[in-house]
Amino acid sequence: MTEEEEVMHEVHGRVKWFDPTKGFGFIVSDEAQTDVLLHANVLRNFGQGSVADGAGITVRVQKTQRGVQAVEVLKIEPPEGVVFPLGDEAGQMDSADILALPLEAARVKWFDKGKGFGFANVFGRSEDVFVHVEVLRVSGFADLAAGEAVALRIVEGKRGRMAVQVVSWETATRGAP
C-alpha cells in the first residue's frame, strides 16, 4: 500500500444512493473529485443497516487503487427539506420538542418498506410502537430489519404510541442528539 492510500481524511456529503441488497452505495461531495463508495460493512459498523438517499453523511475516506472509499461513518443527518406530517398525532411539535423527548430502547418487531410502516417493542413495555417509513427517512434510515436494536423518541397518538424519531442503538449509546 502506498503512503497516499494510508492517509484518511474527513468528507461531508450526501448519499447518492444506497442499496442494502447489493451491499453498497455512493456518496457525492464537493470535497471529493469522484463519488465515494459506501460499503454496507462500514455502515453496519456505525450501527445502521441502511441509509436514506439524500441523507447528509460525514465519513472518513481513503483513496485506494480502486477509488475513494468510506472507511468510517462519523455522522448521518436526515435528508434536507424533509418534513414528516405528524397530523393530529403530534402536529404541534417542532424539532426542539421532538429532541426533548427521551430516547427509549427498542427492538424492531417487523418493518415492511413496501407497506410504509412497521412496529417496534420498547424494552419493558408490552404495547407496540408504530414506525412510519417517513419517520425513518427523516431520521436518515431507508429500512429496518426485524430484530434490529434502535432507540426511539415516541409520542402518544389517538391509536397508540408512535415513533417520531429513530436513532441507531450505537448512535444512541454514544450520546446522539
Side-chain angles (χ1 to χ4, degrees):
M1 192 176 276
T2 68
E3 192 174 310
E4 183 179 326
E5 290 175 319
E6 294 175 9
V7 176
M8 288 187 274
H9 63 280
E10 199 170 295
V11 170
H12 179 76
R14 295 248 163 241
V15 176
K16 184 175 185 177
W17 62 267
F18 184 84
D19 186 335
T21 305
K22 290 181 179 179
F24 69 94
F26 289 95
I27 300 166
V28 292
S29 171
D30 292 338
E31 302 164 35
Q33 295 173 340
T34 63
D35 291 354
V36 177
L37 175 68
L38 176 61
H39 194 274
N41 288 338
V42 173
L43 190 57
R44 276 193 289 275
N45 287 341
F46 182 72
Q48 289 187 208
S50 68
V51 64
D53 295 350
I57 189 166
T58 303
V59 294
R60 280 201 176 95
V61 298
Q62 185 173 30
K63 187 173 182 181
T64 70
Q65 293 174 345
R66 300 182 75 184
V68 181
Q69 298 181 9
V71 294
E72 181 182 9
V73 175
L74 303 172
K75 183 177 181 181
I76 295 177
E77 303 159 341
E80 286 181 349
V82 175
V83 176
F84 175 62
L86 296 172
D88 296 339
E89 306 292 337
Q92 302 305 312
M93 296 183 82
D94 62 19
S95 59
D97 292 333
I98 291 171
L99 291 175
L101 295 169
L103 282 170
E104 298 185 47
R107 189 156 308 273
V108 177
K109 186 175 182 180
W110 63 268
F111 190 84
D112 186 325
K113 190 175 177 180
K115 290 182 179 179
F117 68 93
F119 292 92
N121 297 116
V122 170
F123 297 125
R125 297 188 68 150
S126 59
E127 70 273 10
D128 289 342
V129 176
F130 178 77
V131 182
H132 193 276
V133 71
E134 287 302 312
V135 169
L136 276 189
R137 205 160 63 94
V138 300
S139 299
F141 286 78
D143 204 352
L144 291 174
E148 188 171 346
V150 293
L152 305 173
R153 287 195 165 92
I154 300 168
V155 296
E156 195 67 45
K158 290 180 182 175
R159 292 182 261 164
R161 291 167 44 91
M162 63 182 274
V164 291
Q165 184 184 29
V166 179
V167 177
S168 74
W169 181 248
E170 286 80 358
T171 301
T173 58
R174 288 191 295 256

